Amino acid sequence: MRTTTMCEQDIPSVRIIISYHKKDVLLKDEILTPINAGRTNAKTNNNPDLLWLFENTIGDDSGENISHKNAWYNEMTSIYWAWKNYQEIGNPDYIGHMHYRRHLLFNGGSKSVYELGNLEENYLNELGYSLEKVKKLCRNADLVVPSPQWRISAYEFFKRNFDISELDTAVSILKKKYPQYSEAANKYLDGSDLYFCNIFIMRKEIFFEYAEFIFSILEDFENHFDMKNGRRMFVSEWISGIFIQKKIDEKKKTTFLPTAIAEAGVTIPVVFASDNNYAMQMAVAITSLLKNAKHAIYDIRCLISDDFSKKNKDKILSIQDVYQKCEISFTEIPESLFANVKIKTTHLSKVGFYRLLVADIFPDLNKIIYLDVDVIVLQDLSVFYRYSLDTQYIGGVRAPGYYFPDNWRESKEEELGIKIDQYVNSGVLLMNLSRIRKDNLTNKFIQLSKNDYRSEDQDILNIACYNNIRHIPFRFNVQTKYTDPKSEEKYKFENVIPKDERDGADKNPIIIHYAGKTKPWNDCTVWKSEIWFKYFDDSSFIKDISQKAVIRQSMILALRKKTKEVRDGFKTNIDKIRVIPDNYTPNMNEEYKVSVIIPCYNAEKYLHEALESAILQSASLQVEIICVDDGSTDKTLNLLCAYAEQFDMMKIFVQPNKGAGAARNLGLKVARGEFVGFLDADDLYPSPTTLENLYFSAVKNDQKICGGCFSSFDGKKINYIYKFPYDSYVFTERKITSFEEYQYDYGYHRFIYDRRLLENNNISFPPYKRFQDPPFLIAAMHAAKTFMAVPEYSYRYRITHKNVGWNEEKVVDLILGITDNLKFSKNKNYPKLHFYNYLHILDHISTIRSLVRDGNTYILLLYVQLIKEINFEFMCEADNYNPKALFASNFAQLLKLAML
């Protein structure tokens, strides 16, 4: 069907100029018009892309222009040229502006900004761009502008990122020249809707009004500042925002479109420094950086001590084999350079001083990201690298402990001879190497290193760079010593860092920095240590058994010390502040290797041991521990809360007494582990590495279930030997085993289960108070088909105090559970499983018989239904069928036993 087109006279002519300053993918057609911004400077500086720019773009240096001011006007020189040379681009009805890698997303979208990756041949299609769409868009709008980015107020955002005197000056000029804009200026600066990038499409008349407005202000602005010293006019974006606000207030027809950023292919230099002692930590940090790379290509340069081993170099270089978007190189720093430096802070070393030399070591680099090795990078760093430094030497995140309390700040100011108003942590930095070289700052660094500052190289950087430091949001350097909820220094963080930055660090951290004295590799109780271990498991050092053993042992010692402190200091009246509410929704971003689910009912006597055995698993694996209090009436819940206060991997839920099966089902509902395991509140894991062994055995052999051997104990003596019909509790060799071969339904605790396997097959515990475990195990085993068996013991079952207390409800559930298993075994053709469940009946026949003798006809009816499910002929197919082991051999005798 033919669509109706706009009348010829209704179709507006449109030009969108695109500012280029170097060679890139060319976006050009009858609307898109490439402009070489700053061609005057490009010719003077012998820009290597000048020939390409001459052939493909219009220079902004013809006619009336300000091309020579491009260093501080940036893309505004293109806009100025279009304004003064409007006939040269065809005198269009609408004029727009975009950058060569910043565009309007014509497809629209719910977000303000979209990262679209690289510029490819189909990039315009990704934008939703077409001649027809743009012209139709313009026909229905006076101006098209970027969707607002919701931040703190426009004024506060500028203040945190730039010299606020610039904005104050620009606004003063604006109000003097254009008093009619005062109300719009106040509204925009006080508001949180920001329009960035100087991107737009405007009707011709509005564009001319905009150009007259903004350039008359910027011309006056130049007279107030030295613009030739690397200062850039970031105020232009704020003035543009005020203009847009004014047009919106005037009810101009305004269309908002998201901003598309195309940054893929950009190479980001990242510098680390390490000696042999921290080679493993550097590898983990690099692994996290590369695993979360999205658009960036990383040029990773490692400053190393001159005794750095070849073995460590090879391990770090091997990371390149896994992650392709990188290049790793090493530069040795002679030990003699900082031979006289004194290190007073116990967790620091002289390698921290290497960062003072990077401007001279790497003359080919103008801007870098510097990272300490005790960091984990959680996202692509393209956004971080885009922060402009201009006249600043470095950009960093404030170190709260130097600002507050007042007596400490004053002491530091006296020591350093500077105000503590810009002081930053040096573990995560943007460094403007070209400016550092230009002002010969390296020599100043070296001279200052001869002084005995308390915070060593960090103090040196802050002294030398003072008045030229840009503050970056806290989420780019989330220092755990301040963000840990249990930290004694958290109050400094709360008094120094604005709430919006604190919230951003909590909800969307970019870099986690373990900035305290204790580190994850020597104390796994450190805040967010599970994140570090996640990347350690992915690093090249995970294969180094000796290294892993040292770390694991230190973790175990730290955990044992901390659990002992909880046990010794337990108070029964602890506030139950860690109980999770009923409306809890799991955080989809949480990742664990194994979730341990512990149902708890009046378990205070032995709960300490169970919890500690579960907590010790975190020494070598990322685990979450989900405890469900099933309506306890003793001190169980208080004890759970006491541990949860100290161990962040624990989550505490509460439900009315429904039984262990229901509690485990609640745990399954909220678990975020790749696998799940189950521990009863009076039992134990035999070793701190039990779950690690099961997890890696499962993953390496691509199995959805993995389990070891079962043991029992009375508090003193441990039993490892089991005879028929319990001999299947023990595996004698490490192998993949089919459930068709195994067909056993007891001892489900000793296995871990792929959580997705359970979810995808709707497998959970039946609603029984007794015998809910075997139906769960066989359903999971049947769904998986095979499992990994390991000969190590993976569960220790306590036997001395257990008292089932059989009553009618529990016996009913027992019969129903065995009935389920008998039906399942026949339907799925598992004769051995059928035989084992026949034995289960014999195990409990006396309990059933006693209730029948008391006249319980309901149980009798259930039992009759149960024995009807027994198929002796089918059972005889089992390879372990042994009539001599039975107390009865046929249906009639079983029924007789029940009636006695």
Side-chain angles (χ1 to χ4, degrees):
M1 179 177 177
R2 187 176 182 276
T3 57
T4 304
T5 61
M6 294 183 291
C7 297
E8 191 68 31
Q9 61 269 29
D10 292 335
I11 301 176
S13 57
V14 185
R15 282 294 185 101
I16 301 175
I17 61 173
I18 304 178
S19 293
Y20 284 79
H21 67 90
K22 65 179 182 179
K23 181 180 179 180
D24 210 302
V25 173
L26 187 65
L27 304 178
K28 186 176 184 178
D29 60 18
E30 68 178 73
I31 289 179
L32 303 178
T33 307
I35 302 285
N36 178 192
R39 178 164 290 183
T40 297
N41 297 336
K43 290 187 290 188
T44 303
N45 299 331
N46 295 317
N47 186 322
D49 296 331
L50 192 59
L51 179 60
W52 183 90
L53 291 167
F54 263 107
E55 292 176 346
N56 295 286
T57 68
I58 300 171
D60 67 348
D61 59 341
S62 64
E64 186 176 346
N65 69 84
I66 54 171
S67 180
H68 62 289
K69 295 183 179 182
N70 179 259
W72 55 94
Y73 272 83
N74 301 124
E75 73 277 355
M76 298 303 293
T77 62
S78 298
I79 297 173
Y80 185 93
W81 180 88
W83 174 40
K84 294 297 184 179
N85 300 276
Y86 207 71
Q87 295 297 328
E88 298 296 321
I89 54 174
N91 194 26
D93 300 318
Y94 283 78
I95 178 71
H97 173 259
M98 299 191 298
H99 302 257
Y100 72 114
R101 283 182 177 264
R102 305 284 188 279
H103 311 104
L104 291 169
L105 184 62
F106 295 96
N107 272 336
S110 59
K111 297 192 299 183
S112 298
V113 179
Y114 288 83
E115 303 265 352
L116 292 191
N118 208 353
L119 292 168
E120 305 288 352
E121 289 184 3
N122 67 338
Y123 179 72
L124 291 178
N125 290 332
E126 283 191 73
L127 290 180
Y129 170 86
S130 70
L131 300 178
E132 294 76 14
K133 182 177 284 188
V134 172
K135 291 178 179 180
K136 183 177 180 180
L137 183 71
C138 290
R139 190 180 65 162
N140 296 308
D142 292 315
L143 66 162
V144 180
V145 297
S147 300
Q149 297 184 36
W150 294 274
R151 306 290 179 95
I152 49 179
S153 74
Y155 187 84
E156 180 65 20
F157 186 74
F158 194 100
K159 183 178 180 180
R160 291 188 192 177
N161 289 277
F162 310 107
D163 180 354
I164 192 60
S165 68
E166 294 183 8
L167 183 57
D168 288 340
T169 300
V171 172
S172 176
I173 296 169
L174 180 152
K175 290 183 176 180
K176 184 176 180 180
K177 282 180 168 287
Y178 300 94
Q180 69 273 29
Y181 274 78
S182 295
E183 184 178 346
N186 293 336
K187 185 175 181 179
Y188 183 73
L189 296 175
D190 291 340
S192 58
D193 291 1
L194 281 67
Y195 307 99
F196 285 135
C197 296
N198 291 323
I199 294 174
F200 57 80
I201 304 173
M202 297 178 182
R203 193 158 40 82
K204 175 182 176 181
E205 294 79 5
I206 295 177
F207 171 70
F208 273 77
E209 181 184 348
Y210 163 73
E212 176 67 39
F213 169 78
I214 193 167
F215 287 111
S216 67
I217 294 170
L218 295 180
E219 185 178 7
D220 274 10
F221 179 84
E222 285 188 78
N223 298 325
H224 290 79
F225 296 95
D226 179 9
M227 305 307 301
K228 296 183 179 179
N229 194 32
R231 189 185 297 269
R232 296 167 65 188
M233 286 186 174
F234 288 106
V235 293
S236 69
E237 292 183 67
W238 271 254
I239 298 171
S240 294
I242 292 170
F243 181 84
I244 293 169
Q245 182 67 61
K246 175 68 170 170
K247 296 302 119 183
I248 293 172
D249 292 345
E250 292 174 355
K251 308 299 182 184
K252 299 296 184 185
K253 291 187 291 185
T254 307
T255 298
F256 301 94
L257 292 177
T259 301
I261 299 177
E263 286 287 5
V266 173
T267 298
I268 299 177
V270 181
V271 176
F272 292 91
S274 177
D275 55 20
N276 277 313
N277 294 323
Y278 290 91
M280 177 266 292
Q281 289 83 348
M282 183 161 68
V284 174
I286 292 172
T287 299
S288 72
L289 173 73
L290 296 176
K291 190 168 185 180
N292 290 300
K294 186 177 180 182
H295 302 303
I297 298 171
Y298 291 110
D299 174 7
I300 300 171
R301 306 199 183 188
C302 304
L303 302 177
I304 57 174
S305 57
D306 51 11
D307 63 344
F308 202 82
S309 71
K310 182 179 184 302
K311 178 182 178 182
N312 282 333
K313 283 184 183 178
D314 290 343
K315 283 184 181 178
I316 292 169
L317 287 172
S318 70
I319 300 173
Q320 295 177 122
D321 299 333
V322 180
Y323 304 100
Q324 306 301 314
K325 298 172 71 172
C326 71
E327 180 176 345
I328 301 174
S329 60
F330 298 96
T331 301
E332 292 185 2
I333 306 297
E335 185 179 357
S336 58
L337 279 179
F338 297 105
N340 298 321
V341 166
K342 297 177 182 178
I343 302 296
K344 298 177 292 300
T345 308
T346 55
H347 62 283
L348 300 181
S349 68
K350 290 183 180 180
V351 297
F353 285 80
Y354 295 177
R355 81 194 86 197
L356 305 178
L357 307 175
V358 291
D360 290 356
I361 292 173
F362 302 123
D364 59 316
L365 301 178
N366 291 324
K367 180 183 178 183
I368 66 158
I369 294 173
Y370 177 89
L371 298 177
D372 276 349
V373 297
D374 58 349
V375 305
I376 292 295
V377 179
L378 299 177
Q379 297 185 37
D380 188 282
L381 293 186
S382 297
V383 174
F384 185 35
Y385 192 66
R386 285 202 293 266
Y387 274 85
S388 174
L389 293 180
D390 296 307
T391 61
Q392 296 99 347
Y393 296 122
I394 59 174
V397 170
R398 280 172 287 193
Y402 292 80
Y403 291 75
F404 193 85
D406 292 343
N407 60 341
W408 173 254
R409 187 190 72 247
E410 291 165 1
S411 171
K412 284 300 293 185
E413 289 178 342
E414 183 177 351
E415 177 193 3
L416 304 183
I418 59 172
K419 285 286 185 183
I420 301 297
D421 56 355
Q422 294 186 4
Y423 196 98
V424 294
N425 177 275
S426 62
V428 177
L429 294 173
L430 272 179
M431 301 186 74
N432 185 346
L433 302 191
S434 59
R435 180 75 195 276
I436 291 173
R437 281 193 293 267
K438 178 183 177 183
D439 293 347
N440 198 21
L441 215 60
T442 303
N443 282 339
K444 188 173 182 179
F445 292 153
I446 294 173
Q447 289 301 313
L448 287 170
S449 70
K450 297 174 183 179
N451 297 336
D452 194 20
Y453 295 112
R454 279 182 288 177
S455 296
E456 287 106 4
D457 54 291
Q458 180 171 284
D459 281 346
I460 293 168
L461 279 164
N462 278 280
I463 295 169
C465 298
Y466 185 66
N467 272 335
N468 289 284
I469 299 174
R470 178 175 182 179
H471 284 157
I472 306 294
F474 198 83
R475 67 194 183 107
F476 289 98
N477 182 359
V478 181
Q479 301 154 55
T480 56
K481 66 182 291 186
Y482 301 116
T483 58
D484 181 352
K486 297 182 287 292
S487 171
E488 294 180 356
E489 298 191 67
K490 190 170 189 288
Y491 74 98
K492 300 176 182 178
F493 171 62
E494 293 172 339
N495 277 279
V496 174
I497 305 301
K499 186 178 185 305
D500 61 286
E501 286 195 33
R502 299 199 305 271
D503 292 344
D506 178 53
K507 297 174 183 176
N508 188 27
I510 307 293
I511 298 173
I512 300 290
H513 182 193
Y514 301 97
K517 294 179 181 179
T518 52
K519 309 291 184 181
W521 51 88
N522 52 39
D523 185 349
C524 65
T525 65
V526 169
W527 177 242
K528 299 294 184 182
S529 62
E530 72 280 0
I531 297 176
W532 189 88
F533 279 99
K534 171 185 175 182
Y535 293 100
F536 173 69
D537 286 348
D538 291 328
S539 75
S540 52
F541 277 76
I542 189 67
K543 299 175 183 177
D544 187 334
I545 296 175
S546 61
Q547 181 73 63
K548 187 171 183 180
V550 169
I551 291 178
R552 182 195 295 131
Q553 189 57 38
S554 67
M555 296 297 97
I556 291 171
L557 291 173
L559 288 168
R560 281 184 170 147
K561 179 182 178 182
K562 197 163 185 178
T563 54
K564 184 177 184 300
E565 289 173 357
V566 177
R567 183 192 295 218
D568 293 345
F570 172 62
K571 297 178 181 178
T572 58
N573 62 345
I574 187 171
D575 292 333
K576 300 168 185 177
I577 60 174
R578 286 299 300 272
V579 173
I580 295 174
D582 294 340
N583 60 354
Y584 171 76
T585 300
N587 182 351
M588 296 297 113
N589 294 322
E590 286 186 343
E591 294 182 3
Y592 301 94
K593 302 299 186 188
V594 178
S595 296
V596 180
I597 298 170
I598 308 177
C600 306
Y601 176 72
N602 290 349
E604 62 173 294
K605 183 175 181 180
Y606 299 108
L607 184 56
H608 281 292
E609 295 175 69
L611 291 177
E612 289 168 20
S613 80
I615 290 167
L616 287 178
Q617 306 305 311
S618 67
S620 54
L621 200 71
Q622 296 85 54
V623 300
E624 72 170 340
I625 301 172
I626 300 170
C627 301
V628 182
D629 183 80
D630 187 37
S632 296
T633 57
D634 65 356
K635 301 169 186 174
T636 293
L637 182 56
N638 295 50
L639 186 57
L640 290 173
C641 291
Y643 276 91
E645 275 296 291
Q646 299 301 320
F647 297 98
D648 297 304
M649 78 283 284
M650 288 184 62
K651 295 177 179 145
I652 312 301
F653 296 84
V654 174
Q655 68 176 24
N657 183 245
K658 299 178 182 179
R664 295 180 190 119
N665 286 338
L666 173 57
L668 285 172
K669 182 179 178 181
V670 299
R672 299 303 307 152
E674 185 180 342
F675 283 77
V676 294
F678 302 92
L679 177 67
D680 281 352
D682 52 356
D683 297 338
L684 303 171
Y685 286 122
S687 162
T689 59
T690 294
L691 293 182
E692 177 192 24
N693 182 28
L694 296 181
Y695 173 80
F696 285 107
S697 294
V699 171
K700 289 177 182 178
N701 292 280
D702 195 25
Q703 294 299 297
K704 304 295 186 184
I705 299 176
C706 180
C709 304
F710 188 86
S711 62
S712 60
F713 76 121
D714 59 8
K716 296 179 180 179
K717 185 178 179 181
I718 304 172
N719 177 43
Y720 298 106
I721 301 172
Y722 294 90
K723 297 180 180 179
F724 179 86
Y726 303 107
D727 51 336
S728 293
Y729 273 151
V730 177
F731 300 122
T732 58
E733 59 180 318
R734 188 181 307 275
K735 70 172 185 176
I736 296 174
T737 305
S738 71
F739 185 57
E740 186 175 3
E741 172 191 348
Y742 185 59
Q743 293 188 39
Y744 194 61
D745 62 350
Y746 271 14
Y748 87 106
H749 301 85
R750 59 205 167 100
F751 297 93
I752 60 171
Y753 308 83
D754 184 289
R755 182 168 58 86
R756 296 296 184 190
L757 171 78
L758 303 180
E759 288 181 358
N760 294 339
N761 291 278
N762 296 314
I763 297 171
S764 61
F765 291 83
Y768 304 147
K769 288 288 183 74
R770 297 297 301 172
F771 208 82
Q772 75 282 101
D773 311 342
F776 170 85
L777 176 60
I778 63 176
M781 287 287 193
H782 175 73
K785 307 302 181 189
T786 61
F787 66 94
M788 186 66 198
V790 299
E792 293 83 10
Y793 284 82
S794 60
Y795 200 78
R796 188 169 298 166
Y797 182 82
R798 192 185 301 270
I799 59 174
T800 51
H801 76 295
K802 294 186 189 293
N803 182 7
V804 173
W806 289 105
N807 55 26
E808 179 180 355
E809 182 184 19
K810 291 179 180 178
V811 172
V812 167
D813 286 350
L814 168 70
I815 295 173
L816 292 174
I818 296 176
T819 303
D820 289 345
N821 278 12
L822 289 170
K823 291 179 179 179
F824 186 93
S825 61
K826 286 191 295 185
N827 291 338
K828 306 300 182 183
N829 194 31
Y830 292 127
K832 188 192 296 187
L833 179 63
H834 199 77
F835 172 55
Y836 276 127
N837 276 272
Y838 175 65
L839 298 184
H840 297 336
I841 300 171
L842 298 180
D843 279 345
H844 297 286
I845 194 69
S846 61
T847 301
I848 298 171
R849 184 171 57 193
S850 66
L851 288 172
V852 172
R853 276 177 168 174
D854 291 340
N856 194 316
T857 55
Y858 178 56
I859 288 181
L860 175 61
L861 290 172
L862 288 178
Y863 185 65
V864 170
Q865 294 299 317
L866 168 66
I867 58 179
K868 286 181 179 179
E869 295 297 334
I870 299 172
N871 186 320
F872 282 97
E873 183 178 351
F874 176 59
M875 190 193 308
C876 291
E877 297 177 16
D879 57 16
N880 64 335
Y881 179 71
N882 182 2
K884 293 180 181 180
L886 307 181
F887 294 108
S889 60
N890 59 59
F891 175 89
Q893 285 178 302
L894 269 177
L895 182 59
K896 182 179 178 181
L897 281 170
M899 298 297 292
L900 290 177

